[in-house]
Amino acid sequence: MRDVVIVGGGPVGLGLAIELTQRGAAVTVIERNVAIPPIPKGQNLTQRTMESFAAWGAEEALRAARLLPPGHARGGLVCYGRILSEWCYEWLPRERVRPYYHTDNERLPQYATEAVLRARAAALGIDLRLGVTATGLAPDEEGVTVATDAGPVRGRYVAGCDGSRSMVREAAGITETRRDHDRLMVLVVFRSPELHRILSVHPPRSFYNALAPELDGYWRFLGRVDADTTWFFHAPVPQGTTAATLDLGGLLAAAVGKAFPFELIHLGFWDLRIAVADRWRAGRIFIAGDAAHSHPPYGGYGINTGFEDARNLGWKLAAVLQGWGGPALLDSYDAERRPVFISTARDFIERFIEEDRAFLRRFSPERDRAAFAAAWAARNAGAEEVVAFEPHYEGSPIVPGSRGTPSAQGRHDFAARAGHHMAPMTLPDGRGLHQALGSGLTLLALDADPAPWAEAARALGLPLTVLAAPRSGEAARYGAGLVLIRPDLYAAWAGEADDPAARDPA
């Protein structure tokens, strides 16, 4: 019997497999695709996601696989009406929050990311079964048997990372809640060196959003796959549109503001909706990534949310398999991650649509140029979204003493706060904090006595790594003498040596 069987070997499934394998679990991954689908989605990788790639031993390989040249801007522009517009502003400049993370963000197409993860999985000896389709589940008290077209595979736990039409979710009887925006979207991948020349009137950007009044808050979105040739494009189209009836050249010209020659690579359609599973655990069965949640590609939140699912679920499953985590730890996966996704969809993606709709209905340069100009200038150019997007686990059942509810909406801060991501610091031996975490819990002792915590950990059978450092320089920003850090680089507790919890950490 395997420790964990993962159904779905896309980026999230592979990330989870690597996380578990590095923690000693025996993992099998079932993936129906032999070749990686060459669709350039999921390109924006946040600093937090790149911390995960560093933890998985794949950061260097991922950066080597990028298609955009070093130094190419990774943010975008929002333009009124068309991309060749006098009205444009910078959007999602994620470099503004770089000081709060241990590494830079990145941009490359999902198929390149997945190739890097496959190579890392192979290097770790992970049992990756390509060209195999999972067809059903049979859970019992000891484990779950996964039926496949190549024979059954049995595991103590199963994780469904098999996309928005998840077999695992359906077989586990997990329902989902959908909010349909009643929009049919087209996805286009094409080559056009001429478009690169046309858009050279703008500073180099990785993507462009055309905010057209007739779309009522929805975007025409154009993104670079590489620096000068290949592009992808999303846009709403009338219901019932097909490849045969779509005027693709006209649609692209409307988005850009000028017709241009192009070579079509891929054309497809999808429905714009937001969906979230009503629970992310059913006994020994878990779901993650698009199997648990899906939303339109606004702001690059999707793949990053999926990778964070993998980090969160991975260490918790490993802790239970190793004997130091209990059932409540597994329950906390749903309690932490599901509210964060709901907040991401509500407070960011749907808010973008609602605010853009309200703006377009109220302001127009044709009706009142001066009023439009003032309102356009007042828009925050994406900075607020970047700074406010700070997923955290305040109020989690495994974050004692914290208040609130897990959410994607917060604030970036260097202070160590229970339930929040740990900002970077350099330890006395030159390692970054993210490089020095132990395999279990880590106690950062800043001019404080870690002995009571170490003794309590031994008594409870908890793996605890102690990192001692002076409370000066970067460490002073944490505002605490003792910080208990989870394996996913989130603070479980932060305080002083004279706090009651520090006197009796058990």
Side-chain angles (χ1 to χ4, degrees):
M1 181 187 295
R2 308 295 286 172
D3 288 327
V4 182
V5 177
I6 299 172
V7 179
V12 174
L14 290 169
L16 178 59
I18 292 167
E19 178 81 19
L20 286 163
T21 299
Q22 291 185 159
R23 297 183 180 281
V27 178
T28 290
V29 181
I30 298 168
E31 168 55 43
R32 63 184 178 87
N33 290 316
V34 176
I36 298 173
I39 307 301
K41 56 185 178 178
Q43 297 206 91
N44 276 309
L45 303 181
T46 63
Q47 291 98 341
R48 171 57 186 163
T49 286
M50 293 308 297
E51 289 178 348
S52 295
F53 274 83
W56 296 334
E59 181 185 9
E60 183 177 343
L62 189 77
R63 296 203 189 277
R66 76 189 315 261
L67 300 182
L68 291 171
H72 193 286
R74 297 165 191 163
L77 288 181
V78 172
C79 302
Y80 177 77
R82 61 192 185 279
I83 297 169
L84 292 177
S85 169
E86 63 178 302
W87 309 101
C88 294
Y89 62 72
E90 185 182 10
W91 194 67
L92 280 186
R94 286 199 164 104
E95 64 273 10
R96 299 193 187 189
V97 298
R98 171 64 178 87
Y100 300 96
Y101 295 90
H102 297 77
T103 189
D104 293 320
N105 63 325
E106 192 52 272
R107 182 178 177 85
L108 72 168
Q110 181 172 310
Y111 58 77
T113 300
E114 190 169 336
V116 168
L117 290 170
R118 279 196 183 186
R120 179 59 179 154
L124 292 171
I126 292 174
D127 179 22
L128 175 57
R129 304 186 185 183
L130 301 176
V132 176
T133 299
T135 57
L137 303 177
D140 56 52
E141 292 185 1
E142 302 298 324
V144 183
T145 300
V146 181
T148 81
D149 56 5
V153 184
R154 186 161 170 77
R156 294 177 63 183
Y157 297 95
V158 163
C161 304
D162 51 341
S164 59
R165 298 179 180 179
S166 170
M167 180 282 294
V168 172
R169 185 185 66 237
E170 294 292 332
I174 298 174
T175 57
E176 63 176 356
T177 298
R178 294 184 176 186
R179 293 195 298 278
D180 200 321
H181 283 246
D182 195 27
R183 288 293 187 280
L184 179 66
M185 305 290 290
V186 64
L187 166 62
V188 184
V189 184
F190 63 92
R191 295 186 186 93
S192 179
E194 177 65 11
L195 181 57
H196 172 71
R197 187 194 66 76
I198 291 171
L199 294 186
S200 64
V201 299
H202 291 305
R205 290 292 182 269
S206 291
F207 57 93
Y208 307 84
N209 300 328
L211 190 59
E214 65 269 20
L215 300 184
D216 201 27
Y218 298 96
W219 297 342
R220 292 179 178 135
F221 180 96
L222 180 68
R224 296 181 185 271
V225 178
D226 53 35
D228 54 14
T229 301
T230 311
W231 305 81
F232 72 99
F233 177 74
H234 294 282
V237 294
Q239 291 287 352
T241 300
T242 66
T245 62
L246 177 67
D247 176 10
L248 181 54
L251 183 60
L252 291 171
V256 174
K258 182 177 182 178
F260 58 89
F262 63 90
E263 177 191 350
L264 181 64
I265 298 173
H266 173 82
L267 175 66
F269 297 91
W270 52 276
D271 293 315
L272 195 157
R273 65 167 57 98
I274 291 175
V276 57
D278 297 320
R279 54 192 174 117
W280 292 13
R281 179 188 184 188
R284 293 179 174 271
I285 301 167
F286 299 82
I287 53 176
D290 286 353
H293 50 78
S294 59
H295 58 69
Y298 276 51
Y301 296 106
I303 194 169
N304 297 293
T305 300
F307 282 137
E308 197 62 29
D309 295 344
R311 289 296 303 279
N312 188 291
L313 178 59
W315 77 264
K316 292 171 180 178
L317 275 171
V320 171
L321 290 166
Q322 293 163 6
W324 59 274
L329 186 62
L330 295 181
D331 287 337
S332 74
Y333 167 64
D334 180 291
E336 290 184 343
R337 293 302 304 153
R338 199 161 67 90
V340 166
F341 171 78
I342 291 170
S343 172
T344 300
R346 179 191 64 230
D347 300 327
F348 293 88
I349 297 168
E350 290 189 310
R351 181 171 64 83
F352 296 161
I353 297 171
E354 292 164 2
E355 289 182 352
D356 288 344
R357 177 180 296 137
F359 174 86
L360 292 168
R361 290 178 177 179
R362 182 175 179 185
F363 298 103
S364 165
E366 291 77 25
R367 292 196 306 268
D368 188 333
R369 184 177 178 87
F372 177 88
W376 186 261
R379 291 170 71 93
N380 63 34
E384 180 183 340
E385 282 80 13
V386 170
V387 174
F389 184 73
E390 190 261 331
H392 62 81
Y393 304 133
E394 287 185 6
S396 162
I398 62 167
V399 181
S402 67
R403 299 179 179 179
T405 303
S407 173
Q409 197 167 37
R411 74 181 194 281
H412 284 82
D413 199 325
F414 289 110
R417 298 168 292 160
H420 289 261
H421 169 267
M422 291 292 296
M425 71 163 284
T426 302
L427 295 165
D429 62 8
R431 291 180 297 168
L433 176 64
H434 71 301
Q435 298 169 319
L437 296 185
S439 60
L441 301 172
T442 299
L443 181 69
L444 181 62
L446 304 174
D447 291 333
D449 181 14
W453 291 78
E455 293 172 5
R458 281 193 294 271
L460 294 170
L462 299 176
L464 181 70
T465 297
V466 175
L467 301 175
R471 190 169 178 172
S472 59
E474 292 176 320
R477 303 183 305 190
Y478 289 145
L482 292 166
V483 187
L484 186 64
I485 306 172
R486 302 166 15 156
D488 56 358
L489 200 57
Y490 279 74
W493 180 88
E496 303 297 342
D498 58 356
D499 286 351
R503 291 197 299 270
D504 183 18

